[in-house]
Amino acid sequence: MKNALIVMIGIASSTVFLSSAIGGQAPATTDLSSPRFSANDELMRPDNYREWIYLSSGLGMSYGTTTSPANANPPFDNVFVTPAAYRSFLATGKWPDKTMFVLELRGSASEGSINKQGHFQGQMLGMEVEVKDESRFPGKWAFYEFGRTAASAKPTPTTASCYSCHAQNGAVDNTFVQFYPTLADIAKQKGTFKSAP
Amino acid sequence: MKNALIVMIGIASSTVFLSSAIGGQAPATTDLSSPRFSANDELMRPDNYREWIYLSSGLGMSYGTTTSPANANPPFDNVFVTPAAYRSFLATGKWPDKTMFVLELRGSASEGSINKQGHFQGQMLGMEVEVKDESRFPGKWAFYEFGRTAASAKPTPTTASCYSCHAQNGAVDNTFVQFYPTLADIAKQKGTFKSAP
């Protein structure tokens, strides 16, 4: 699924990753407010992420340069974070333990219905998750790739570039708050925003 | 503010409008779950819309053709709907009375931080609202433009093109569900999705 996803991303030579801790519309006291792991340490797919807090979207974002021809319809990425983590961030400018982010990838199209220009979103291409769990992960954060339908996922190996890239370039903790306009403003107010690379 | 917004939208000759009913993270029993009107019938700005349910985003969407030169950094639009209306839609494929949508417009940029290609979101350019109130509006729905900071707004005159365009082209009721992938699937399942124009 990882390879299929990378092919679908097209020109994005460096996968745009996400970051974060689980929550939900439901009260923080339910099991929807924390990451859920299987007996063999796989993360269970957070099915309700579309009801979490939306942070931002990008179109065809890429952190690397490429000589590939431009993709006329590159993928959109939509980033969501668990509601409990969002509320904590508004108050402190930091991510609490158990924070969970989802990066959802969707196809794009330009002409459809009455639309004539620009891009709108289509079907889901894949979904990735970043979880903060200070007692479970030596580096505090871990990434998971669920593709379109996987019910659970093993953590991405810590040798993957997403770990070093997020650690080196995240504006707040291990996360790319520099690309989430409403949270970047909060982090700057709270003094937790690291200078952009 | 309307003119300023249109200028900022750039190549979007037909404003990408939104659709539908108020809600919030708070329980449906609070005043955040319904549109709030002032004594002189202005709609009060729904300050918490970033905590509503996210539906989709577009980049540089336009419903009209234009001969203007392409904008290298066209605006993003993000659409949110009130949580109570969203839950009702999941169950019925229809929008209940008091549904409220927000269309948020944000600037885009391509190069910034570690990003090299594609587009990510920047500062807010404006915010528009569509409300369904069957007893208040003869056509059941009304549009409001708040710009970046207005605390309240009068309804956009019903002679504006947004009214006829939404009535004629909305896939569900007065709303562009054809551009909200997760809800389009629901509407098709529930039999409420009108054929796209």
Side-chain angles (χ1 to χ4, degrees):
Chain A
M1 177 51 82
K2 183 177 181 180
N3 288 341
L5 211 96
I6 288 172
V7 167
M8 286 188 286
I9 289 174
I11 63 169
S13 60
S14 303
T15 304
V16 176
F17 252 82
L18 49 140
S19 8
S20 135
I22 253 185
Q25 288 290 106
T29 52
T30 75
D31 65 350
L32 295 177
S33 63
S34 295
R36 294 173 297 126
F37 293 92
S38 66
N40 63 348
D41 273 349
E42 292 197 351
L43 179 68
M44 304 304 294
R45 185 186 192 89
D47 286 316
N48 68 332
Y49 70 87
R50 292 280 308 197
E51 299 177 10
W52 297 357
I53 300 295
Y54 168 76
L55 294 183
S56 196
S57 298
L59 178 69
M61 289 176 70
S62 176
Y63 305 150
T65 54
T66 177
T67 55
S68 304
N71 181 349
N73 288 309
F76 275 100
D77 64 276
N78 301 320
V79 180
F80 302 84
V81 71
T82 41
Y86 173 81
R87 289 190 290 271
S88 182
F89 194 95
L90 293 185
T92 66
K94 299 177 182 177
W95 295 119
D97 197 33
K98 312 302 184 190
T99 290
M100 186 154 67
F101 282 76
V102 161
L103 175 75
E104 179 193 61
L105 298 167
R106 284 190 175 268
S108 72
S110 186
E111 295 193 20
S113 180
I114 58 173
N115 197 65
K116 305 296 186 192
Q117 296 181 52
H119 292 85
F120 58 90
Q121 300 194 359
Q123 291 305 302
M124 193 177 85
L125 304 178
M127 191 265 275
E128 304 169 356
V129 179
E130 186 182 7
V131 177
K132 183 175 188 177
D133 191 321
E134 299 181 1
S135 61
R136 184 178 292 265
F137 312 122
K140 297 185 181 177
W141 296 84
F143 296 88
Y144 297 81
E145 296 195 14
F146 285 85
R148 287 191 292 177
T149 59
S152 65
K154 300 180 188 303
T156 299
T158 57
T159 50
S161 61
C162 47
Y163 287 88
S164 56
C165 184
H166 276 246
Q168 290 167 19
N169 300 311
V172 176
D173 202 347
N174 215 51
T175 71
F176 287 151
V177 169
Q178 61 264 50
F179 296 127
Y180 313 143
T182 56
L183 295 191
D185 289 345
I186 297 290
K188 288 170 184 172
Q189 290 167 17
K190 301 291 183 183
T192 60
F193 191 93
K194 289 179 277 185
S195 294
Chain B
M1 176 53 80
K2 182 177 182 179
N3 289 342
L5 213 94
I6 288 172
V7 167
M8 285 188 285
I9 291 175
I11 62 167
S13 60
S14 301
T15 304
V16 177
F17 250 83
L18 49 140
S19 7
S20 163
I22 253 182
Q25 287 292 105
T29 51
T30 74
D31 65 349
L32 295 177
S33 64
S34 294
R36 293 173 298 126
F37 293 92
S38 68
N40 63 348
D41 273 347
E42 293 197 349
L43 179 68
M44 304 304 293
R45 186 186 192 89
D47 286 317
N48 68 332
Y49 71 88
R50 292 279 310 195
E51 299 176 9
W52 296 359
I53 300 295
Y54 168 76
L55 294 183
S56 197
S57 298
L59 178 70
M61 289 177 70
S62 175
Y63 305 150
T65 54
T66 177
T67 55
S68 303
N71 181 349
N73 288 308
F76 275 99
D77 64 275
N78 301 321
V79 180
F80 302 84
V81 70
T82 41
Y86 173 80
R87 289 189 291 271
S88 181
F89 194 95
L90 293 185
T92 66
K94 299 176 182 177
W95 296 118
D97 197 34
K98 312 302 183 192
T99 290
M100 186 154 67
F101 283 77
V102 161
L103 176 74
E104 178 193 62
L105 299 167
R106 284 191 174 267
S108 72
S110 185
E111 295 193 20
S113 179
I114 59 172
N115 197 66
K116 305 296 185 193
Q117 295 181 52
H119 292 84
F120 57 90
Q121 300 193 0
Q123 291 305 300
M124 194 177 84
L125 303 179
M127 192 266 276
E128 304 169 356
V129 179
E130 185 182 8
V131 177
K132 183 175 188 177
D133 192 320
E134 298 180 2
S135 62
R136 185 177 292 265
F137 312 122
K140 297 185 181 177
W141 296 84
F143 297 88
Y144 296 82
E145 297 195 13
F146 285 84
R148 287 192 293 178
T149 58
S152 64
K154 299 180 188 304
T156 299
T158 56
T159 50
S161 61
C162 46
Y163 288 88
S164 56
C165 184
H166 276 246
Q168 291 167 17
N169 300 311
V172 176
D173 202 347
N174 216 49
T175 70
F176 287 152
V177 169
Q178 61 264 50
F179 296 127
Y180 314 143
T182 56
L183 295 191
D185 289 345
I186 297 290
K188 288 171 184 171
Q189 291 166 16
K190 301 291 183 185
T192 60
F193 191 92
K194 290 179 276 185
S195 293

